[in-house]
Amino acid sequence: MKISKIKELLDAQVICCEENTNEDVFSACGSDMMSDVLAYVKDQAVLLTGLVNSQVVRTAEMMDMRCIVFVRSKMPTAEMIELAREAGIVIMATKKRMYEACGKLYSNGLVGNKVRDV
Amino acid sequence: MSELLKFHFDVDGTDFTSAGQASVQVKKNLRQLGIPPEIIRRVSIAMYEGEINMVIHAGGGEADVIVTETAIEIRLHDHGPGIKNIDQAMQEGFSTATDTIRTLGFGAGMGLPNMKRYSDDIEIHSELGVGTDIIMRVNLT
Ligand SMILES: Nc1ncnc2c1ncn2[C@@H]1O[C@H](COP(=O)(O)OP(=O)(O)O)[C@@H](O)[C@H]1O
Ligand SMILES: [Mg+2]
């Protein structure tokens, strides 16, 4: 799925790195706990979250994720936008709640992934 | 195992917002060295969890990343309270983190298990009231 398609499905507003919305992504995860996100196997390209702090962007960067979606109209801080821009990560914000946002993406073919074995 | 390169970082224990900066820098440095992306990802995630732990549990510390021909080694050193029971701390879901930490997205008790997951080898030495030393290795070959 193209990142631009995520924007469309979630009726979201792109906050930074609009130029990268042409990229293809294949799986996503949704969580407010960053260590849970870090436990996933690779190639989780999209993070949906209601948590707003710099660690969200660093977590995505550590995982080589390409896009962060803030749900429930949460807005990133200027510092977070700066960090995302440096890493080339697309940030968007949607009014939808976590459950609905994940459901929309999942039912349109963006799947989840397993947790990596210890 | 001759040392090719070493990066040193002081991890500030007073500022949660800046936690993880060292790991971001390591990621950049390893990219410049042409290390394979999957190895870089494992090193940076393991180090990031360790760095966060030093900030939320130990009041900060120091991190060294050593690159040799065969492995990348991450050495974490702090003078925090130490870990009472390492086996218990290694269990998924075990955490002594406060609710405040949890509202910041950490404290799910997945940090040490993640460090183990992403490294080929982990050694933990900890003494109550003295501090904690963690050595993680990710093999290059
Ligand atoms: N550097 C450290 N110094 C002291 N205690 C630590 C340190 N790292 C981990 N711990 C202890 O081990 C527990 C489990 O760590 P971890 O798996 O990272 O989970 P979390 O950080 O989410 O609590 C922590 O809650 C804490 O009690
Ligand atoms: Mg932790």
Side-chain angles (χ1 to χ4, degrees), chain A residues 32-44 51 53-56 58-59 61-64 79 86 115-118, chain B residues 16-21 23-24 27-28 38 41-42 44-45 48-49 52 92 102-106 108 110 114 116-118:
Chain A
D32 290 351
M33 293 307 272
M34 293 304 106
S35 290
D36 285 347
V37 176
L38 291 162
Y40 280 93
V41 287
K42 60 175 184 168
D43 299 331
Q44 217 74 228
L51 180 72
N53 66 46
S54 299
Q55 302 311 339
V56 174
R58 290 208 184 92
T59 295
E61 185 172 1
M62 291 304 127
M63 294 293 278
D64 298 322
E79 188 186 353
E86 253 175 64
V115 165
R116 190 180 175 118
D117 293 333
V118 176
Chain B
F16 177 78
T17 303
S18 68
Q21 276 177 346
S23 304
V24 171
K27 189 155 192 154
K28 283 185 188 144
E38 179 55 17
R41 174 172 10 210
R42 289 171 54 204
S44 45
I45 294 172
Y48 180 56
E49 288 281 16
I52 295 278
E92 290 196 0
R102 261 183 277 276
T103 62
L104 294 170
F106 286 87
M110 293 294 282
N114 278 344
K116 181 165 184 216
R117 233 182 219 113
Y118 288 103

Side-chain angles (χ1 to χ4, degrees), chain B residues 16-139:
Chain B
F16 177 78
T17 303
S18 68
Q21 276 177 346
S23 304
V24 171
Q25 188 58 47
V26 163
K27 189 155 192 154
K28 283 185 188 144
N29 293 355
L30 296 181
R31 265 202 205 117
Q32 275 171 4
L33 293 175
I35 307 277
E38 179 55 17
I39 303 263
I40 297 179
R41 174 172 10 210
R42 289 171 54 204
V43 169
S44 45
I45 294 172
M47 175 163 171
Y48 180 56
E49 288 281 16
E51 204 185 336
I52 295 278
N53 276 356
M54 289 200 292
V55 174
I56 65 180
H57 302 298
E62 287 169 61
D64 286 286
V65 176
I66 297 152
V67 183
T68 71
E69 267 168 42
T70 53
I72 297 174
E73 194 171 284
I74 305 153
R75 291 171 170 266
L76 307 172
H77 175 75
D78 69 59
H79 298 288
I83 302 172
K84 203 189 273 168
N85 181 336
I86 293 176
D87 287 338
Q88 187 183 38
M90 291 302 296
Q91 299 292 318
E92 290 196 0
F94 177 82
S95 176
T96 60
T98 59
D99 286 343
T100 312
I101 296 297
R102 261 183 277 276
T103 62
L104 294 170
F106 286 87
M110 293 294 282
L112 285 170
N114 278 344
M115 288 156 75
K116 181 165 184 216
R117 233 182 219 113
Y118 288 103
S119 56
D120 288 302
D121 192 47
I122 181 167
E123 282 170 46
I124 303 175
H125 307 277
S126 192
E127 202 178 322
L128 286 181
V130 178
T132 302
D133 278 283
I134 298 181
I135 302 173
M136 294 179 279
R137 238 168 266 113
V138 175
N139 296 331

